[in-house]
């Protein structure tokens, strides 16, 4: 059972997420918080596996809450729910330790898959968020792709498409391979490039 703490200052968002999670046999919502200030002690007391975190909240925001929650319990996974207006908060949240970013208007299946992936140590990112992160980083610090002689030709193909912000399904479609094969290549690439998540891998490919 995946223990989840929901953190958002909008009751309607929390209620919708709870209904979605409560309908799953493997996900249990152990608590809710309407602010970062409330979330920090709750996370310490409830010991959730995944914290679903809003970024913009009054008082203690999601970035500060993420940093403090992970400082007290580094094994907790913080999954950020974001909107298109949160671009300036994405990198600070990543630096604070967030493991992934999903859009608030993502399909329910994507949100649930993100929670499950976060719980097992993966880094779920909505393709749109990944593209925005990479574009902003490249604009701020343009670079050249590094030389990696240890990569196979197919790994280079996958790496280039990750850098463009494509999802696993989009990469699979473009290269005419299976999604599982794409995931295998990405896991190998993250190991070879010492990239802890998909964003870092995309930035590595861009030489940032």
């Amino acid at each position: 059972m995946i223990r989840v703490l929901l953190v958002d200052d909008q009751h309607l968002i929390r209620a919708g997420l709870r209904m979605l999670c409560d309908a799953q046999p493997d996900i249990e919502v152990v608590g809710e918080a309407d602010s970062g200030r409330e979330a920090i002690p709750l996370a310490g007391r409830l010991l959730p596996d995944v914290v679903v975190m809003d970024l913009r909240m009054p008082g203690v925001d999601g970035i500060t809450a993420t940093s403090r929650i992970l400082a007290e319990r580094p094994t907790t996974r913080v999954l950020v729910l974001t909107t298109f207006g949160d671009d300036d908060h994405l990198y600070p949240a990543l630096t604070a330790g967030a493991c992934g970013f999903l859009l608030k208007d993502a399909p329910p299946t994507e949100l649930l898959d993100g929670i499950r992936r976060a719980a097992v140590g993966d880094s779920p990112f909505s393709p749109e968020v990944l593209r925005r992160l990479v574009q902003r980083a490249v604009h701020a610090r343009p670079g050249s792709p590094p030389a990696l002689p240890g990569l196979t030709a197919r790994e280079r193909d996958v790496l280039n498409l990750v850098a463009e912000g494509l999802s696993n399904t989009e990469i699979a479609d473009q290269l005419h391979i299976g999604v599982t094969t794409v995931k295998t290549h990405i896991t190998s690439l993250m190991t070879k490039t010492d990239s802890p998540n998909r964003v870092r891998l995309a930035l590595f490919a861009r030489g940032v």
Side-chain angles (χ1 to χ4, degrees):
M1 185 68 72
I2 302 170
R3 297 169 57 83
V4 173
L5 172 64
L6 304 175
V7 185
D8 197 297
D9 62 334
Q10 297 184 47
H11 175 76
L12 187 61
I13 297 291
R14 297 198 315 274
L17 289 171
R18 175 178 278 278
M19 287 181 61
L20 186 64
C21 292
D22 283 348
Q24 309 306 308
D26 59 334
I27 299 176
E28 176 189 8
V29 176
V30 296
E32 298 182 23
D34 62 8
S35 68
R37 185 179 304 280
E38 183 182 9
I40 295 166
L42 265 183
R45 186 170 78 250
L46 299 176
L47 305 179
D49 301 304
V50 178
V51 177
V52 178
M53 181 75 72
D54 183 26
L55 288 181
R56 292 191 291 184
M57 295 179 287
V60 177
D61 63 15
I63 297 168
T64 301
T66 295
S67 179
R68 291 181 58 181
I69 288 171
L70 294 177
E72 295 179 9
R73 190 167 180 258
T75 57
T76 302
R77 307 286 287 171
V78 178
L79 179 61
V80 169
L81 292 188
T82 180
T83 67
F84 281 105
D86 283 338
D87 280 17
D88 291 338
H89 298 82
L90 296 180
Y91 266 105
L94 188 64
T95 302
C99 72
F101 298 83
L102 297 178
L103 292 174
K104 284 188 175 182
D105 60 356
T109 53
E110 184 177 327
L111 292 171
L112 293 170
D113 180 63
I115 291 173
R116 293 183 176 107
R117 289 173 58 193
V120 297
D122 201 355
S123 298
F125 286 88
S126 289
E128 296 89 343
V129 178
L130 181 59
R131 291 187 187 105
R132 283 151 48 196
L133 281 165
V134 173
Q135 288 168 0
R136 289 174 68 87
V138 170
H139 179 74
R141 294 187 299 162
S144 302
L148 273 180
L151 299 187
T152 66
R154 181 58 84 194
E155 285 175 337
R156 290 184 185 280
D157 292 339
V158 172
L159 182 61
N160 289 335
L161 295 178
V162 169
E164 293 179 15
L166 271 65
S167 67
N168 288 349
T169 300
E170 291 170 331
I171 293 173
D173 289 344
Q174 187 154 333
L175 297 180
H176 305 291
I177 57 179
V179 173
T180 301
T181 302
V182 173
K183 291 180 179 179
T184 299
H185 285 313
I186 289 176
T187 299
S188 175
L189 285 166
M190 290 174 66
T191 300
K192 290 181 178 180
T193 62
D194 196 27
S195 300
N197 55 51
R198 196 181 186 98
V199 171
R200 297 299 184 193
L201 181 61
L203 296 181
F204 177 90
R206 292 294 190 100
V208 177

